[in-house]
Amino acid sequence: VGNYKRTVKRIDDGHRLCNDLMNCIHERARIEKVYAQQLTEWAKRWKQLVEKGPQYGTVERAWCAFMSEAEKVSELHLEVKGSLMNEDFEKIKNWQKEAFHKQMMGGFKETKEAEDGFRKAQKPWAKKLKEVEAAKKAYHAACKEEKLAISRETNSKADPALNPEQLKKLQDKVERSKQDVLKTKEKYEKSLKELDNATPQYMENMEQVFEQCQQFEEKRLRFFREVLLEVQKHLDLSNVASYKNIYRELEQNIKSADAVEDLRWFRANQGPGMSMNWPQFEEWSADLNRTLSRREKKKASDGVTLTGINQTGDQVSQPNKHSSSLSVQSNTVQSVQSSYNPFEDEEDTGSTVSEKEDNKIKNVSSYEKNQSYPTDWSDEESNNPFSSTDANGDTNPFDEDTPPAMEVRVRALYDYEGQEQDELSFKAGDELTKMENEDEQGWCKGRLDNGQVGLYPANYVEPIQ
């Protein structure tokens, strides 16, 4: 009696499971959206870095094809997010609203109907069962009383001090108890028979209500299966033709990279094949062009734009796709900080770009494509761009073989576990070599005794005296 409540509870569980499935889909949709945003940000940032970097020609186009792939995949994942929320989520929400009807006093109409149906079907049988339990209790009590009376009578016969009158009372008690046992037994058997006769009808009525609950649950289970299949179709990008085309196009772009073609282009635009403006005799003209003195050029370097001066006044066009001038501040051209790791992951904070990412230098090489070089020249070694410490190779952040300017042995004061791929991990008391001084963010570059090179917090170590 009352065990039907497990079946009734299943209806309430069905409503809660709808909420759980909606939350599950909503979380997956949020993951798809964040992933799409990260792909877009990654593609935008690296596309700018590659376009400004020194790579050129067909290999540049092959490299940029990865950014195009990321943008297209990002769009597909945004479509997945839209399908999950606009189709699957809304479908579950609407089905739940149609299947479960809330009552004014709380609970669901379907739950109350099932519970009332079970209670009504069980009430007559439960009443008879109660009568059987009462008859059973009375019968067992009579049997106990009979046994006690017989025991007293037997003990009294062995007692010589007991008078005949008292013995007669005990014998009468035994007779009455035997009659009570017969009556209660008959009543118990009768009520049990009535209960057995009512059991088939009780089972039929209960199964009828149970089948109604089964049908309701079957609708939910079939609906869940249908929705899960639709979610699977939305998530499965392998069957999307445009998804396959993205990687087919990416493969074609990579295979189209031609080293010979790139070398030929560089020779024609940056090497001996360039269009040259050889010096020619020029008549002096006061109003044509004037030559900047060395002192005036130094003043101009504090300003803004460095521009090549043509002595003939005619601008010779070169088949170079890059600009011939560069507007920069005096402190703009600098070497890339050693703390910048171009492969470092963004912090998982949900923001578009982490604070650590904001502090990174956005160059991937020591010079940009559109960087111009001064047109004047000198025999002085100080003006030779190839003898300077700012030469291209020395400031390439990808070149980890650059000899350090100063190395100092330091000892760790505390334990530190590297949080990124370019960070070192050590224990308090470990010794390592500091290769570069502390940067603006408080990080130093060092080398462990096992040869591993990376970053560590400057305040975690002290110099070894």
Side-chain angles (χ1 to χ4, degrees):
V1 175
N3 280 340
Y4 62 82
K5 294 185 180 298
R6 295 177 298 185
T7 304
V8 175
K9 181 178 178 296
R10 190 174 61 173
I11 299 177
D12 294 332
D13 292 342
H15 183 273
R16 185 168 58 253
L17 288 171
C18 288
N19 291 333
D20 292 343
L21 184 55
M22 284 191 290
N23 290 334
C24 177
I25 293 176
H26 182 264
E27 288 185 12
R28 178 58 185 265
R30 187 167 63 247
I31 292 173
E32 295 288 336
K33 179 180 178 181
V34 172
Y35 178 54
Q37 290 175 343
Q38 290 177 344
L39 281 178
T40 302
E41 293 170 4
W42 173 85
K44 180 179 179 181
R45 183 166 62 90
W46 274 98
K47 188 174 183 179
Q48 293 176 351
L49 294 177
V50 173
E51 289 178 348
K52 292 181 180 180
Q55 185 58 58
Y56 57 89
T58 58
V59 174
E60 178 192 1
R61 290 196 294 271
W63 192 347
C64 289
F66 281 101
M67 278 62 91
S68 300
E69 172 266 342
E71 292 173 349
K72 295 176 182 178
V73 172
S74 173
E75 294 177 359
L76 289 178
H77 282 280
L78 284 179
E79 293 178 3
V80 171
K81 176 257 180 184
S83 299
L84 292 176
M85 292 303 298
N86 299 331
E87 297 180 25
D88 303 328
F89 184 90
E90 290 297 326
K91 186 173 184 178
I92 301 172
K93 184 178 179 181
N94 294 333
W95 186 90
Q96 182 190 43
K97 187 176 181 181
E98 295 176 358
F100 299 91
H101 302 84
K102 291 186 177 181
Q103 297 185 119
M104 295 293 294
M105 302 301 294
F108 299 104
K109 177 183 177 182
E110 290 72 22
T111 303
K112 187 176 185 305
E113 289 178 350
E115 188 169 2
D116 291 345
F118 278 120
R119 187 184 294 110
K120 182 179 179 181
Q122 196 172 72
K123 186 176 181 179
W125 189 87
K127 183 178 179 180
K128 292 184 181 298
L129 179 63
K130 191 174 183 181
E131 293 175 356
V132 169
E133 293 294 335
K136 174 184 174 182
K137 185 178 182 181
Y139 170 66
H140 289 177
C143 292
K144 182 179 180 181
E145 188 68 24
E146 179 190 20
K147 184 178 180 181
L148 185 60
I150 293 174
S151 177
R152 288 176 180 176
E153 181 190 12
T154 302
N155 293 334
S156 64
K157 290 180 180 180
D159 188 2
L162 197 65
N163 56 41
E165 185 178 353
Q166 291 177 335
L167 184 60
K168 181 75 168 55
K169 288 182 179 180
L170 290 176
Q171 292 174 348
D172 292 342
K173 180 69 173 177
V174 171
E175 289 297 328
R176 286 196 304 269
S177 62
K178 288 182 177 181
Q179 292 178 2
D180 289 342
V181 168
L182 293 175
K183 290 180 181 179
T184 54
K185 182 179 181 181
E186 182 182 357
K187 186 176 181 180
Y188 178 33
E189 291 176 343
K190 181 180 179 181
S191 61
L192 190 60
K193 185 177 181 180
E194 291 177 354
L195 181 67
D196 291 340
N197 294 334
T199 297
Q201 184 64 37
Y202 159 68
M203 292 179 62
E204 181 180 350
N205 295 339
M206 291 292 285
E207 287 188 6
Q208 184 177 357
V209 182
F210 181 78
E211 284 301 321
Q212 294 176 356
C213 295
Q214 287 286 82
Q215 293 175 6
F216 184 82
E217 178 68 4
E218 182 183 9
K219 292 180 181 178
R220 187 190 69 82
L221 294 174
R222 291 185 180 276
F223 172 73
F224 268 41
R225 180 179 182 275
E226 177 185 348
V227 170
L228 293 175
L229 281 175
E230 292 183 3
V231 172
Q232 180 266 333
K233 292 179 181 178
H234 292 149
L235 294 177
D236 186 7
L237 295 179
S238 62
N239 291 327
V240 179
S242 57
Y243 188 75
K244 296 179 180 179
N245 292 334
I246 290 175
Y247 292 97
R248 190 178 297 112
E249 182 180 349
L250 176 61
E251 181 182 6
Q252 293 175 354
N253 287 328
I254 296 174
K255 289 182 176 180
S256 65
D258 188 349
V260 175
E261 176 64 25
D262 289 353
L263 293 174
R264 185 184 298 114
W265 177 92
F266 192 86
R267 179 183 180 86
N269 292 275
Q270 305 285 352
M274 294 175 58
S275 299
M276 301 300 294
N277 183 19
W278 299 108
Q280 297 179 3
F281 180 80
E282 302 174 8
E283 290 291 343
W284 177 83
S285 174
D287 298 329
L288 184 59
N289 282 333
R290 65 187 184 91
T291 304
L292 293 178
S293 67
R294 186 182 301 274
R295 180 177 300 176
E296 289 174 332
K297 289 180 181 178
K298 289 183 178 180
K299 291 182 180 179
S301 65
D302 296 335
V304 198
T305 306
L306 299 176
T307 308
I309 303 298
N310 291 318
Q311 301 300 325
T312 60
D314 297 330
Q315 185 67 29
V316 179
S317 60
Q318 299 180 359
N320 189 348
K321 67 173 183 177
H322 310 305
S323 171
S324 62
S325 64
L326 173 65
S327 297
V328 293
Q329 295 297 329
S330 60
N331 61 349
T332 300
V333 180
Q334 57 181 333
S335 62
V336 178
Q337 295 182 4
S338 61
S339 62
Y340 166 54
N341 182 4
F343 303 106
E344 185 175 5
D345 293 333
E346 297 181 359
E347 296 178 3
D348 188 16
T349 58
S351 60
T352 56
V353 181
S354 64
E355 295 180 0
K356 192 171 184 180
E357 187 70 27
D358 291 337
N359 295 328
K360 292 178 181 176
I361 297 178
K362 299 303 183 179
N363 291 344
V364 294
S365 184
S366 59
Y367 70 95
E368 297 182 352
K369 291 181 181 179
N370 58 352
Q371 181 174 350
S372 64
Y373 296 91
T375 56
D376 59 327
W377 61 277
S378 173
D379 293 336
E380 298 178 4
E381 187 178 2
S382 60
N383 290 332
N384 185 355
F386 299 101
S387 63
S388 169
T389 58
D390 290 333
N392 298 338
D394 292 341
T395 55
N396 189 347
F398 298 103
D399 187 5
E400 296 183 356
D401 296 330
T402 304
M406 176 185 65
E407 293 188 354
V408 178
R409 294 292 289 176
V410 295
R411 180 183 294 108
L413 297 173
Y414 317 99
D415 294 347
Y416 182 74
E417 186 71 22
Q419 303 298 317
E420 303 290 349
Q421 295 180 355
D422 62 331
E423 296 180 11
L424 298 178
S425 299
F426 47 76
K427 301 291 185 182
D430 291 350
E431 296 183 1
L432 60 150
T433 302
K434 182 175 74 171
M435 302 174 61
E436 294 183 8
N437 291 329
E438 179 181 354
D439 61 11
E440 297 178 358
Q441 286 76 40
W443 293 83
C444 288
K445 184 176 182 180
R447 180 179 65 247
L448 298 177
D449 291 340
N450 61 6
Q452 182 182 359
V453 177
L455 304 177
Y456 64 90
N459 57 356
Y460 271 57
V461 301
E462 66 176 357
I464 299 177
Q465 301 297 332

